[in-house]
Amino acid sequence: SSGINAEYGVSDITDLQYINQIPRHKYASILRPPMKTNADGEEEVDLIEWRQMLDLLWSDPKAALGCEPNTFRGGGTYFGPDISGGILDKHNFKLLIRSHECKPDGYDVVHDGRVITVFSASNYYEAGSNLGAYIKLLPNHKPQFIQFSATENTKQLPLCSRVSKVESSALRDLRTQMFANKGRLLAAFQSHDPEGTGFISMNEWAESMSGVLNLDLPWRTLRSKLAEQEEDTGKIKYATCFTDGNLEGSIANKQVTETIYRQRNILETIFRLLDTDNSGLLSREELRAGCELLAKHNGSISLSSDELDNLVDTMDINKDGEINFNEFLESFRMVDNKFANGNM
């Protein structure tokens, strides 16, 4: 067949025949792992099936050969042209068309033209950050890319302006990660500064950033955006990594905030599990179901109807009857502060 393989990504263990046997509507969320009954009649996670689905939904192409864990997403892989080419050749496919990855022009073509990323959400980060695109397949299966923007006043922004907006959003996310790991970063910096001068070399700074954040980034290039450098010696004044007031704001208990930022991914996973209708909001009923689930696994947790109503009213900061993720996150900070101040 010369058909089109329209999946998100692949890995070195992707088995399309196995995947084809999985019921299409089995997964309400990939965050809920599939279960199976083992030889002893006990329920356990079906790791083989879950890995197949995670690789399919969370993998991204890379230029280098091979396949390695996708540490950025926390699931799936980075797959090279040898991996995608092997799967396409095996099944006699021409193209692998995928999405789930923002591209400035709305699409991207890699792996000798055999892997295409198409992203239809224009202005994904903010107005003017990227175009959206969709693919029209011509009779010979040749793809034609149609680009668009949701707002006419941002469509004509030059490439440099769009890249700048994407870069600004990415830097905000990176600074959030830095603040979430402030204690560990300072410890790493200070290990290179036993005399407490407040300065370390560029190599020591880059090594510390990479080691603590576990991110393979061009730190020397990013330095000017993240920390101050002394002109005479070229050394980095590492305390300036944490001088962005937008991150710390007026929050008094910065240790609590640092912990919340560090656990943000875990809290977001919990929020998504509670959000059974995938609306991005928690209703009173969804929160009640979540509390009942916790009570089932922990006998010490039990909330009456009135107590649950009080919990929802407290978390619902803007009083619209539902809880968004920011309100959910803020509730943990407020509760932690109350414990710290001895008010509970």
Side-chain angles (χ1 to χ4, degrees):
S1 168
S2 58
I4 306 301
N5 180 13
E7 306 292 358
Y8 294 105
V10 293
S11 74
D12 52 352
I13 66 165
T14 297
D15 185 339
L16 297 185
Q17 292 181 341
Y18 183 97
I19 292 170
N20 195 46
Q21 296 174 4
I22 300 174
R24 297 297 91 180
H25 303 290
K26 179 176 181 178
Y27 285 82
S29 170
I30 193 63
L31 298 175
R32 295 188 177 96
M35 306 300 292
K36 67 177 181 179
T37 304
N38 61 23
D40 298 325
E42 300 174 342
E43 288 284 300
E44 64 180 16
V45 175
D46 189 340
L47 293 176
I48 295 177
E49 179 179 319
W50 201 23
R51 170 70 190 279
Q52 289 285 332
M53 294 301 296
L54 284 171
D55 289 352
L56 195 68
L57 294 174
W58 290 105
S59 296
D60 298 311
K62 65 172 185 173
L65 299 176
C67 189
E68 60 186 25
N70 193 323
T71 54
F72 178 78
R73 294 189 186 275
T77 70
Y78 293 113
F79 60 94
D82 55 328
I83 304 299
S84 57
I87 291 178
L88 292 172
D89 292 341
K90 177 180 178 181
H91 297 281
N92 195 26
F93 289 153
K94 288 186 175 181
L95 296 172
L96 190 157
I97 303 176
R98 58 181 294 277
S99 187
H100 217 95
E101 187 178 13
C102 182
K103 297 296 179 181
D105 293 320
Y107 71 94
D108 191 32
V109 183
V110 296
H111 294 186
D112 297 321
R114 305 188 75 185
V115 174
I116 297 173
T117 297
V118 60
F119 193 78
S120 60
S122 63
N123 307 313
Y124 182 71
Y125 293 103
E126 54 188 308
S129 62
N130 67 282
L131 292 173
Y134 63 91
I135 296 177
K136 180 178 180 180
L137 292 175
L138 302 178
N140 60 357
H141 289 160
K142 182 178 180 180
Q144 179 182 8
F145 302 99
I146 294 87
Q147 297 170 291
F148 61 89
S149 179
T151 54
E152 288 298 326
N153 62 329
T154 60
K155 183 176 181 180
Q156 300 302 324
L157 280 177
L159 177 61
C160 59
S161 297
R162 288 188 274 120
V163 170
S164 177
K165 287 181 177 291
V166 174
E167 183 185 65
S168 297
S169 298
L171 282 172
R172 281 198 298 271
D173 291 342
L174 180 56
R175 284 187 173 276
T176 298
Q177 288 294 318
M178 290 168 61
F179 183 69
N181 291 276
K182 181 177 179 179
R184 295 173 60 211
L185 280 171
L186 280 175
F189 296 151
Q190 290 165 355
S191 69
H192 296 293
D193 182 27
E195 297 181 3
T197 65
F199 293 90
I200 56 178
S201 70
M202 174 70 82
N203 286 340
E204 291 167 341
W205 180 81
E207 177 186 328
S208 299
M209 295 291 286
S210 180
V212 172
L213 299 182
N214 195 29
L215 293 173
D216 186 17
L217 296 175
W219 293 111
R220 290 167 179 78
T221 302
L222 292 170
R223 193 279 315 158
S224 62
K225 310 282 187 180
L226 302 173
E228 294 179 9
Q229 185 176 29
E230 194 175 47
E231 291 185 9
D232 296 339
T233 65
K235 289 192 172 183
I236 308 302
K237 187 178 181 181
Y238 53 82
T240 59
C241 290
F242 312 105
T243 56
D244 188 345
N246 292 329
L247 289 181
E248 300 194 21
S250 59
I251 298 172
N253 191 341
K254 293 184 176 60
Q255 183 177 2
V256 171
T257 306
E258 182 176 340
T259 302
I260 294 298
Y261 270 121
R262 188 180 300 123
Q263 304 301 329
R264 180 187 175 97
N265 289 341
I266 296 175
L267 292 174
E268 187 171 0
T269 298
I270 295 172
F271 182 88
R272 288 179 177 175
L273 287 172
L274 294 175
D275 181 21
T276 54
D277 64 357
N278 300 314
S279 65
L281 299 168
L282 294 184
S283 65
R284 197 174 298 267
E285 291 71 26
E286 287 173 327
L287 193 60
R288 185 187 303 277
C291 291
E292 291 174 352
L293 181 62
L294 288 174
K296 180 180 179 181
H297 294 280
N298 187 336
S300 65
I301 298 176
S302 180
L303 291 178
S304 67
S305 180
D306 288 341
E307 289 171 332
L308 181 62
D309 287 340
N310 288 334
L311 176 64
V312 174
D313 290 339
T314 301
M315 298 176 74
D316 184 16
I317 297 173
N318 64 4
K319 305 304 177 187
D320 64 353
E322 296 178 304
I323 301 165
N324 61 39
F325 179 64
N326 287 331
E327 291 173 326
F328 185 75
L329 196 66
E330 177 67 7
S331 299
F332 283 87
R333 188 187 69 81
M334 291 191 300
V335 169
D336 210 329
N337 273 332
K338 287 181 180 179
F339 273 110
N341 296 328
N343 296 328
M344 291 188 69

